[in-house]
Amino acid sequence: MAKTKSVFFCKECGNESPKWIGHCPGCGAWNSYVEESVVVGKDKSAKNMIAVASKAKPVKVQDISSAKETRLDLECGELNRVLGGGLVPGSLILLGGEPGIGKSTLLLQVALRLRDKKVLYVSGEESAQQIKMRAERIGIANENCLILTETNTTEIIRHFEDVKPDIAIIDSIQTLESSAVDSTAGSISQIRETAAEMNKVAKSLHVPTFLIGHITKDGSIAGPKILEHIVDAVIQFEGDRHYGFRVLRTIKNRFGSSSELGIFEMNANGLREVSNPSEILLSQRDEQVSGISVAATLEGLRPMMIETQALVSTAAYGTPQRSCTGFDTRRLNMLLAVLEKRAGFRLSMKDVFLNIAGGLRVDDPAIDLAVVAAILSSNEDIEISNRYSFAAEVGLSGEIRSVNRIEARIAEADKLGMEKIFVSKYNCRGLDTSKYNVEIVPLATIGDLIKNM
């Protein structure tokens, strides 16, 4: 006979314990155990509904066929790029993001565009009428997009077998409930069980499935960490509510690069793909002002020109402020120390504010030179031409270090009509400069930058 008991689960790894403990022995996390009620001795026949007779046998690695997997074109270039060139049949994709960032809009928009594919959109959060209103706002009609409002995985799997969709979308994984687990939707055990069931049905029926996931206040996807291990790819939808840009970033991808990035723009009719983000991220200024430089950065395999803005002013309250938006504050402090020690600029008693325009967050070390140029420009009140760009890393000794894929950065600057691009002299070895119209300025130290600005 079934009975209910309390069990503690680790939010990070899903490890189970009969009592609360502060330190998880499975993953080492602290204060990660939460209490849930489970049923012991319950009939778990729901799991048998997706059981598939396995005919797998051990095969020598050299006997395995190396035929390339055919990917499904989602008719969305940015999403195809992030997924590695398209959607792999049978894959399970987890899409996370803040509430209202546009996760449901993006996937509904993709579902409506695929007119030659049968798409099953399963919603556990919105009614069919609400989804219809969003589809009318997007302005795309598609008879092959089927809407199902259901949260029970047993019923969802039955519809999978009846409809036989080409692509499935689950909105969201935190709303699903499995009959094999007696706990509320969104709990650790429910998310773990429902994700495992969706993974099994996606693999057995070869239906690529998107799972929409909520995130917690610290930015991580809600639920156990094992959720990210179960799925084949994890992509994060990011953006600032005060900007129209949305960034789709890969965190994990078993079928492609995990450093790709896609950019969208939110408007009244949904999300628009931004195929050339450099022209949008660079502001069109009629007048030259100090403290602004253009960095040639790289996100995944995509080169972009972004605007770096700096403001240096005298500290009004005695203690100087260091503030960054879209850049690492510790990296800024390091660059300021290099400028003071190696170049002789007295910045220790000045406020320094740094902003990456467009609401982007950049981790590429090649942006160092642009940051230094913007700080020096603001400090000396000297304008930098908006036709100059920078691509180099700055070392602790003040040297200008080389960065990877310099040809792609120079080609992007050349395409946008830049006049000069400042790079490390070590990147110029063996570089064919004759095929570029942009002037390439090699630098060895920060002193060379000051002379050429």
Side-chain angles (χ1 to χ4, degrees), residues 284-306:
Q284 305 299 324
R285 305 191 302 272
D286 295 330
E287 299 179 358
Q288 298 291 338
V289 294
S290 62
I292 296 179
S293 63
V294 177
T297 184
L298 209 64
E299 287 287 350
L301 300 177
R302 165 180 280 186
M304 291 192 304
M305 293 289 164
I306 60 175

Side-chain angles (χ1 to χ4, degrees), residues 82-103:
V82 170
L83 293 176
L87 193 59
V88 176
S91 59
L92 192 65
I93 314 297
L94 177 62
L95 173 62
E98 295 181 356
I101 204 70
K103 304 183 296 296

Side-chain angles (χ1 to χ4, degrees), residues 43 116 171 192 205 214 263 270 278 311 344 368 395 400 403 426:
D43 181 20
D116 58 340
D171 186 9
R192 181 177 54 187
L205 300 180
H214 300 165
I263 298 180
S278 298
L311 177 63
D368 286 356
I400 307 300
V403 293
Y426 305 105

Side-chain angles (χ1 to χ4, degrees), residues 79 82 95 106 236-237 246-250 260-262 264:
L79 186 55
V82 170
L95 173 62
L106 173 63
Q236 191 90 2
F237 210 31
R246 300 291 186 268
V247 177
L248 195 62
R249 195 183 304 272
T250 311
E260 281 298 342
L261 179 131
F264 297 85

